[in-house]
Amino acid sequence: IYGFSVFIVPFTLSFGYTLGAYVYTSDKSNVYYVDYTKIYVALTAALYTSLVGKNQFNALPDSQNAVSSAKRFVTIMSRKQSMDAFNQDGIIPEEVKGSLKMEDIKFIYPARPGVTVLQSFDTSVSPGK
């Protein structure tokens, strides 16, 4: 696909110039004779069309990735959660005091267990923050 997208613009230009030269140099009694202004208007239209087509072909792999990512997102968001975040049952403390400190955190995505995203990450949260 990428090779075709690189090929289409020079092909359109060379084909248009060749056809335009043939049509313009033919005698005026020929059925195919066209004024040179119409040739360049058609050539410009063909060139811009091929440029748009080239850009669309270049974006095709990205759009396929976007579609598969959107499908995965919908699958994840539509599954039933094991915990209800809006449930008001249970004990709710009136006041919480304290701090949170985490040391040597290591984070790895489940889909890519060989790639460590965070290694030896330390963080702390002071009371009231």
Side-chain angles (χ1 to χ4, degrees):
I1 291 176
Y2 177 74
F4 180 74
S5 68
V6 171
F7 163 78
I8 194 164
V9 174
F11 172 76
T12 304
L13 282 172
S14 62
F15 179 75
Y17 282 123
T18 304
L19 182 65
Y22 171 74
V23 170
Y24 186 70
T25 57
S26 63
D27 59 347
K28 294 186 181 194
S29 63
N30 190 346
V31 176
Y32 298 110
Y33 177 79
V34 179
D35 186 28
Y36 74 93
T37 57
K38 292 180 183 176
I39 292 171
Y40 284 109
V41 168
L43 181 61
T44 303
L47 175 64
Y48 283 117
T49 303
S50 65
L51 285 172
V52 168
K54 174 184 181 274
N55 291 336
Q56 293 300 319
F57 278 119
N58 285 339
L60 188 60
D62 293 334
S63 62
Q64 289 172 345
N65 288 340
V67 168
S68 65
S69 296
K71 286 180 183 178
R72 286 181 48 207
F73 177 77
V74 168
T75 302
I76 290 170
M77 294 305 290
S78 63
R79 69 181 172 192
K80 183 166 174 52
Q81 300 296 322
S82 60
M83 182 174 66
D84 185 9
F86 299 106
N87 189 352
Q88 295 295 322
D89 296 340
I91 300 171
I92 300 173
E94 293 181 21
E95 185 178 4
V96 177
K97 292 183 180 179
S99 63
L100 177 66
K101 185 175 184 179
M102 294 184 279
E103 296 177 346
D104 199 27
I105 298 172
K106 182 177 181 182
F107 181 76
I108 300 172
Y109 286 112
R112 295 173 40 189
V115 179
T116 304
V117 180
L118 288 176
Q119 178 131 11
S120 299
F121 181 72
D122 299 331
T123 187
S124 62
V125 180
S126 303
K129 298 289 180 180

